[in-house]
């Protein structure tokens, strides 16, 4: 998945073509953001930050002015139609909230693969520095004063290792998103809807050939605050992969779904994540069930957020 490759090697998702996945992706402040007393909840706790309570999907919150946050985001992709396939991409970011509406987050990416016996892919096992990215977020609508929240996301990036195959590349790309969320029940039930677009140009070092890819995703999730520090939910994503940087030639699609969680260990430390399975999909020219050309059987996410 371009979005996950983008998010994690320049890094929100491992759902793209494993042979040419533009790098930049997924993400912001933790779901354990704590700010003001929550209605109907113990006074020791405060309002939930929605950014990371939805798994791969993102809430509109970006933190408070002057807040500094360090995030370690890890995305894993597992399973092809045959052989052994496991890939990992980690994006490490420092996030600076400069105002009520604007945040920047420079970061660098690492990736690793364990590939054996996959048709069309070279056997490979390695961990390496894979790229860098700069995330920019602007909160256009504040859910505290409007019926919903909306934050715009842009993340240009550069990559030197393909997250999916582990092969050396030169890659330039970016991802763009509109992040909507809404509080359905005060301090209890939250919903999010995201529209993601990723594009990139990749030069394969071995052949010196350039290729262009792009991806579109629609994401939705709902979460319930079991306790102020523990939020559980369910997320789903529909991803479409294309040859060409402008959604030119449709290559295949996939639907992923799975449970999500977010847990505030303390006011300064939070963890969140999800495990999603491909439940439907099809690659162009392949009539078998599921799309295991551009995507994987399973995709997982685990984040650690530190607030300062």
């Amino acid at each position: 998945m371009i979005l996950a490759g983008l998010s994690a090697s320049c890094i929100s998702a491992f759902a793209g073509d494993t042979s040419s996945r533009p790098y930049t992706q997924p993400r912001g402040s933790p779901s354990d953001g704590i700010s003001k007393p929550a209605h109907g909840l113990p006074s020791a706790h405060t309002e939930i930050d929605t950014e990371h309570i939805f798994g791969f999907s993102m809430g509109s919150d970006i933190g408070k002015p002057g807040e500094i946050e360090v995030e370690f985001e890890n995305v894993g992709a597992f399973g092809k139609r045959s052989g052994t396939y496991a890939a990992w991409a980690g994006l490490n970011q420092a996030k600076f909230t400069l105002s009520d509406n604007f945040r920047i987050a420079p970061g660098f990416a690492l990736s690793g693969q364990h590939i054996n016996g996959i048709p069309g892919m070279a056997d490979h096992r390695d961990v390496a520095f894979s790229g860098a990215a700069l995330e920019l977020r602007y909160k256009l609508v504040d859910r505290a004063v409007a019926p919903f929240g909306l934050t715009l996301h842009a993340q240009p990036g550069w990559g030197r290792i393909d997250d999916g195959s582990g092969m050396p590349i030169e890659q330039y790309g970016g991802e763009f998103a509109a992040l909507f969320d809404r509080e359905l029940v005060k301090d209890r039930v939250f919903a999010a809807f995201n529209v993601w677009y990723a594009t990139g140009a990749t030069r394969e070092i071995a052949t010196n050939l350039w290729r262009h890819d792009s991806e579109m995703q629609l994401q939705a999730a709902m979460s319930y605050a079991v306790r102020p520090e523990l939020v559980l939910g369910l997320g789903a994503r529909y991803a479409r992969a294309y040859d060409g940087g402008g959604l030119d030639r449709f290559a295949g699609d996939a639907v992923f779904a799975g449970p999500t969680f977010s847990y505030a260990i303390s006011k300064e430390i939070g963890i969140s994540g999800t495990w999603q399975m491909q439940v439907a999909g099809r690659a162009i020219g392949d009539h078998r069930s599921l799309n295991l050309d551009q995507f994987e059987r399973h995709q997982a996410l685990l984040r650690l957020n530190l607030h300062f």
Side-chain angles (χ1 to χ4, degrees), residues 147-167:
F148 62 90
L150 169 59
T151 291
L152 303 180
H153 163 97
Q155 185 166 300
W158 160 82
R160 60 178 295 273
I161 298 292
D162 183 272
D163 284 349
S165 67
M167 296 296 100

Side-chain angles (χ1 to χ4, degrees), residues 37-97:
H39 177 71
L41 298 179
S43 60
H45 298 283
T46 57
E47 185 176 278
I48 294 173
D49 184 315
T50 64
E51 183 174 10
H52 290 326
I53 66 173
F54 300 111
F56 282 112
S57 301
M58 308 293 290
S60 66
D61 291 343
I62 63 171
K64 297 178 176 56
E67 183 176 85
I68 299 174
E69 178 185 352
V70 175
E71 178 177 291
F72 305 95
E73 180 179 87
N74 299 280
V75 176
F78 311 95
K80 291 292 187 179
R81 205 167 294 278
S82 61
T84 299
Y85 183 84
W88 160 77
L91 180 65
N92 308 292
Q93 291 179 302
K95 302 184 176 184
F96 305 93
T97 304

Side-chain angles (χ1 to χ4, degrees), residues 1-2 22 26 55 64 66 77 80 91 96 113 115 133 160 162 169 189 218-219 222 226 242 256 261 264 291-292 296:
M1 151 195 192
I2 289 175
K64 297 178 176 56
K80 291 292 187 179
L91 180 65
F96 305 93
Q113 303 80 25
I115 302 170
R160 60 178 295 273
D162 183 272
I169 59 171
V189 181
L218 301 178
Q219 306 182 0
M222 185 171 291
V226 179
Y242 294 84
F256 289 85
F261 83 95
N291 182 350
L292 299 178
E296 300 80 26

Side-chain angles (χ1 to χ4, degrees), residues 25 30 55 64 83 85 103 109 128 135 143 151 160 165 194 196 216 218 224 230 247 292 295 303:
Q25 196 160 259
K64 297 178 176 56
Y85 183 84
R103 189 184 72 196
E135 177 190 273
R143 66 186 181 87
T151 291
R160 60 178 295 273
S165 67
N194 295 176
W196 291 86
M216 176 69 76
L218 301 178
Y224 174 76
L230 176 63
L247 306 178
L292 299 178
F295 304 93
R303 291 190 196 91

Side-chain angles (χ1 to χ4, degrees), residues 11-220:
I11 41 261
S12 246
F14 259 99
D17 186 341
T18 56
S19 64
S20 61
R21 176 181 284 166
Y23 293 74
T24 40
Q25 196 160 259
R27 312 231 146 151
S29 338
S31 55
D32 56 304
I34 294 181
S35 57
K36 62 183 181 182
H39 177 71
L41 298 179
S43 60
H45 298 283
T46 57
E47 185 176 278
I48 294 173
D49 184 315
T50 64
E51 183 174 10
H52 290 326
I53 66 173
F54 300 111
F56 282 112
S57 301
M58 308 293 290
S60 66
D61 291 343
I62 63 171
K64 297 178 176 56
E67 183 176 85
I68 299 174
E69 178 185 352
V70 175
E71 178 177 291
F72 305 95
E73 180 179 87
N74 299 280
V75 176
F78 311 95
K80 291 292 187 179
R81 205 167 294 278
S82 61
T84 299
Y85 183 84
W88 160 77
L91 180 65
N92 308 292
Q93 291 179 302
K95 302 184 176 184
F96 305 93
T97 304
L98 303 182
S99 70
D100 288 330
N101 301 97
F102 185 62
R103 189 184 72 196
I104 64 171
F108 70 93
L110 306 173
S111 67
Q113 303 80 25
H114 180 194
I115 302 170
N116 184 55
I118 305 292
M121 299 183 72
D123 291 352
H124 183 80
R125 189 168 186 170
D126 195 15
V127 174
F129 164 68
S130 57
L134 176 64
E135 177 190 273
L136 307 170
R137 289 207 178 172
Y138 183 79
K139 185 188 292 185
L140 191 63
V141 179
D142 190 341
R143 66 186 181 87
V145 296
F148 62 90
L150 169 59
T151 291
L152 303 180
H153 163 97
Q155 185 166 300
W158 160 82
R160 60 178 295 273
I161 298 292
D162 183 272
D163 284 349
S165 67
M167 296 296 100
I169 59 171
E170 177 185 0
Q171 188 175 67
Y172 303 93
E175 64 172 22
F176 308 90
L179 314 176
F180 297 86
D181 66 358
R182 182 171 181 176
E183 188 174 27
L184 301 179
V185 177
K186 178 67 175 174
D187 300 315
R188 290 296 183 186
V189 181
F190 304 84
F193 178 74
N194 295 176
V195 180
W196 291 86
Y197 165 67
T199 183
T202 303
R203 180 174 70 91
E204 297 181 354
I205 302 300
T207 63
N208 202 37
L209 296 177
W210 284 89
R211 60 200 311 169
H212 297 80
D213 300 274
S214 53
E215 183 178 315
M216 176 69 76
Q217 284 198 26
L218 301 178
Q219 306 182 0

